[in-house]
Amino acid sequence: MEQPGAAVRPIESRSVAEQVMAELRRSILAGDLAPGREFSLREVAEMLQVSIIPVREALRSLESQGLVHMRPGRSAVVAPLDLEELQGIYRLRRRLEPEIAQRSCRLLAPDELDRLEKDALGFGAGERTIHEIYEAHHAFHLALLAPAATGWDLRILTTLWRAAERYIRIGFGRLDPDPDEHQRREHAHVELLDAFRQRDPEVVAAAVHQHLARNEQTALLALRAPVAEPAASAAPAAPRRRGRPPK
């Protein structure tokens, strides 16, 4: 007799290719693997202590995300930053987000706005980098729009946010050493919440539009500024081997 639950398969650990993809993606988004850097599959395999096969599979996934370009043979290059692409992403965001926010501002519960204000205040902590708060920042903006967003709204917005992620992490990451940037980050999000608390769709739409425009210009200025070459690029960390405890 078949045991209850026999149709449910046990959870398996992530494949090596998925681990390689996650680590390379982290390094690219953080700028540790710099835009335009070319590398061989063997180089990556040696850095991550894996074979070439999962590296090739991981790079194909990253290519579909627009983060790398595969080259003939066994090499790839980190996709260069295209500031026109970033401007296009923000142009679409400014068409979508203010309209959704107009409807959402009348649906958000007061206790949810209070919770989000605590999150916004955390964005100003001097010890937190953009990499450390990015997921919380993503969740913050999602929570503001979610009450009025359809499934398709969320799919499109998530696609746009992920497309902009590398630009935001690298651009705003360059500003992290400036303490004033952390205060600006906190103030910008508290100010946005103040607009939502007014429950006025026109006020909210204008605030969201201004917030996006200001972030776009800040990111563009940071990305256009010359940056000193680091002494050495941080290499991706080797994925943990199955069955072996981390060192």
Side-chain angles (χ1 to χ4, degrees), residues 99-163:
E99 189 275 331
I100 299 172
Q102 283 183 307
R103 292 180 282 114
S104 184
C105 71
R106 291 180 170 173
L107 301 174
L108 281 162
D111 58 345
E112 176 68 351
L113 289 171
D114 292 340
R115 182 188 69 80
L116 290 172
E117 184 167 2
K118 292 179 182 178
D119 291 342
L121 293 173
F123 296 159
E127 70 279 3
R128 298 181 72 190
T129 68
I130 187 62
H131 304 300
E132 292 169 328
I133 70 168
Y134 185 83
E135 294 303 327
H137 177 261
H138 175 95
F140 175 92
H141 281 276
L142 180 61
L144 283 177
L145 303 178
T150 67
W152 274 107
D153 288 331
L154 296 177
R155 291 185 189 97
I156 294 169
L157 287 173
T158 299
T159 298
L160 291 172
W161 290 342
R162 290 307 182 192

Side-chain angles (χ1 to χ4, degrees), residues 31 35 48 51-52 59 82 87 93 96 98 102 108 130 135 145-146 149 166 182 189 201 208 222:
L48 297 178
S51 71
I52 287 179
L59 288 173
D82 182 346
Q87 290 173 304
R93 289 186 63 182
L96 290 172
Q102 283 183 307
L108 281 162
I130 187 62
E135 294 303 327
L145 303 178
R166 182 166 64 127
H182 295 262
H189 290 87
V208 171

Side-chain angles (χ1 to χ4, degrees), residues 10-234:
I11 300 297
E12 297 181 0
S13 299
R14 290 191 302 172
S15 70
V16 174
E18 289 174 322
Q19 294 180 68
V20 170
M21 191 273 288
E23 179 55 29
L24 288 176
R25 186 176 188 276
R26 181 204 65 77
S27 296
I28 292 170
L29 292 177
D32 294 334
L33 285 175
R37 176 178 171 180
E38 186 171 0
F39 52 85
S40 69
L41 273 65
R42 184 170 299 281
E43 178 187 355
V44 175
E46 290 174 354
M47 283 194 295
L48 297 178
Q49 302 172 29
V50 297
S51 71
I52 287 179
I53 293 174
V55 171
R56 182 183 292 110
E57 185 178 338
L59 288 173
R60 285 172 180 159
S61 295
L62 292 170
E63 186 174 39
S64 71
Q65 298 174 35
L67 295 177
V68 302
H69 300 313
M70 299 293 288
R71 294 283 178 82
R74 294 189 171 186
S75 67
V77 62
V78 179
L81 294 176
D82 182 346
L83 299 188
E84 288 186 2
E85 178 181 73
L86 179 62
Q87 290 173 304
I89 292 167
Y90 269 96
R91 184 167 60 251
L92 291 171
R93 289 186 63 182
R94 286 195 298 272
R95 292 182 67 89
L96 290 172
E97 293 182 41
E99 189 275 331
I100 299 172
Q102 283 183 307
R103 292 180 282 114
S104 184
C105 71
R106 291 180 170 173
L107 301 174
L108 281 162
D111 58 345
E112 176 68 351
L113 289 171
D114 292 340
R115 182 188 69 80
L116 290 172
E117 184 167 2
K118 292 179 182 178
D119 291 342
L121 293 173
F123 296 159
E127 70 279 3
R128 298 181 72 190
T129 68
I130 187 62
H131 304 300
E132 292 169 328
I133 70 168
Y134 185 83
E135 294 303 327
H137 177 261
H138 175 95
F140 175 92
H141 281 276
L142 180 61
L144 283 177
L145 303 178
T150 67
W152 274 107
D153 288 331
L154 296 177
R155 291 185 189 97
I156 294 169
L157 287 173
T158 299
T159 298
L160 291 172
W161 290 342
R162 290 307 182 192
E165 182 174 359
R166 182 166 64 127
Y167 296 92
I168 299 303
R169 284 182 183 264
I170 294 175
F172 281 85
R174 292 177 181 175
L175 302 174
D176 276 336
D178 181 1
D180 290 340
E181 166 58 19
H182 295 262
Q183 293 304 311
R184 187 208 65 79
R185 195 178 295 160
E186 174 186 316
H187 176 74
H189 290 87
V190 171
E191 186 179 65
L192 189 60
L193 282 172
D194 288 342
F196 271 79
R197 288 186 188 278
Q198 294 184 48
R199 309 289 186 180
D200 184 327
E202 296 305 317
V203 169
V204 168
V208 171
H209 191 282
Q210 181 182 27
H211 183 86
L212 293 172
R214 185 165 49 195
N215 281 355
E216 177 188 3
Q217 290 306 309
T218 302
L220 287 170
L221 288 172
L223 291 167
R224 285 172 175 151
V227 179
E229 288 292 327
S233 294

